[in-house]
Amino acid sequence: MSVRLRQLFSRFTADRQVRLGLLVSTPEPGELESLDLLLGHPLLAAASDPLGRALRDPYFPAPMLAQTIFADVTGMRFFINKNRPDLEPVLARELIEWCAAFARIREDLAAHFDPAAVTCIPLDGRRHPLPEAQWCRLCGLCCRIGGVPPEPPAGTRHPDHWAAILSGSELSNQQLCPFLFQYFGEPRYFCSIHQIKPIACRTFDRHDCQRRLAEPDLHAPAPAGTAAESVRPLPQRARGIDLEP
């Protein structure tokens, strides 16, 4: 029996998290092997190039995908086991679509905006300190959504194709906003277009956050000690080390 796509993604995520947690900028043999195995899956092989670009990106939120696309669904009246063989093509399609959207957003940010100013930190592959004097915990839970009204703030024009990505119509089954980036393997996530995000996101406040945190989760929580579980933040002294994008 072939290895399930879910298992391959989990292994890659675990190896990647370990490497980022050790402040190593270059993928090590174990991570490269797990990435090759993942990209070599029969359902992913045809899209290995664009997938590889996204999966190698230092801001790619792999644990969040493990907690959404690849997580069992338990918060509904029925249970969905993502290990089911008949769901393999669905998981593959959702991963390919999400990675394609993420990669295109990265290209758009470089082509149409200033990567040093479009969000809360410069997107140059360096560990710039994230903002801390705020109510947001950077958990990323509010971005586990199917989409928002794509209206930009006054004075800002988004690329035309962003409307479909933001509204959720670009992907077959959007469970996580493709504009969500991860901070170098830490359990902290940030909006890649924070300074120009849609009005619906800009008006999301502390009270909305508290309501969202109180809602039951659609997906099963990650088992303790797995790659999908939050990892311990790096010490303050570790920040400032470069990681190439």
Side-chain angles (χ1 to χ4, degrees):
M1 180 182 297
S2 61
V3 180
R4 295 274 180 259
L5 180 58
R6 182 187 191 183
Q7 294 171 294
L8 293 174
F9 188 82
S10 178
R11 174 182 168 181
F12 162 73
T13 301
D15 290 341
R16 183 177 184 273
Q17 291 289 100
V18 169
R19 190 255 301 175
L20 290 172
L22 294 174
L23 307 180
V24 177
S25 60
T26 304
E28 298 186 328
E31 181 183 351
L32 292 173
E33 180 185 6
S34 61
L35 178 60
D36 287 343
L37 288 172
L38 176 62
L39 296 178
H41 188 283
L43 295 173
L44 300 181
S48 61
D49 286 344
L51 276 172
R53 288 197 298 272
L55 294 170
R56 293 184 184 95
D57 193 287
Y59 301 110
F60 185 79
M64 272 294 190
L65 293 185
Q67 295 175 47
T68 51
I69 290 177
F70 291 99
D72 294 334
V73 175
T74 59
M76 302 177 71
R77 289 178 295 176
F78 50 85
F79 173 76
I80 301 178
N81 183 348
K82 296 294 181 69
N83 282 324
R84 283 168 39 190
D86 61 305
L87 290 182
E88 288 276 285
V90 177
L91 299 180
R93 184 189 70 235
E94 292 182 2
L95 178 62
I96 291 171
E97 290 180 350
W98 203 96
C99 287
F102 175 91
R104 190 171 188 185
I105 289 166
R106 283 290 266 154
E107 294 171 356
D108 290 338
L109 293 178
H112 304 296
F113 301 97
D114 180 1
V118 72
T119 186
C120 55
I121 59 171
L123 298 175
D124 58 6
R126 297 167 60 92
R127 290 179 182 268
H128 300 278
L130 286 167
E132 296 183 355
Q134 57 181 18
W135 59 264
C136 179
R137 303 186 308 170
L138 303 176
C139 69
L141 186 61
C142 63
C143 297
R144 286 164 63 163
I145 53 175
V148 298
E151 183 181 359
T156 298
R157 178 173 180 177
H158 294 157
D160 292 342
H161 58 272
W162 279 17
I165 300 176
L166 288 165
S167 67
S169 61
E170 175 80 4
L171 309 185
S172 300
N173 179 30
Q174 181 169 305
Q175 304 169 57
L176 179 70
C177 178
F179 288 87
L180 184 69
F181 284 13
Q182 184 182 14
Y183 188 78
F184 302 102
E186 294 189 25
R188 298 195 291 174
Y189 301 85
F190 62 96
C191 175
S192 62
I193 56 169
H194 179 69
Q195 306 297 350
I196 57 169
K197 60 188 177 183
I199 292 176
C201 299
R202 297 173 72 89
T203 57
F204 188 92
D205 60 18
R206 179 181 298 188
H207 300 294
D208 295 318
C209 174
Q210 292 172 344
R211 285 195 293 269
R212 177 65 183 90
L213 290 172
E215 293 175 355
D217 201 348
L218 179 66
H219 300 91
T226 64
E229 186 192 30
S230 294
V231 296
R232 182 176 300 173
L234 296 174
Q236 188 70 31
R237 60 180 173 78
R239 299 185 184 132
I241 295 179
D242 297 352
L243 282 182
E244 294 298 328

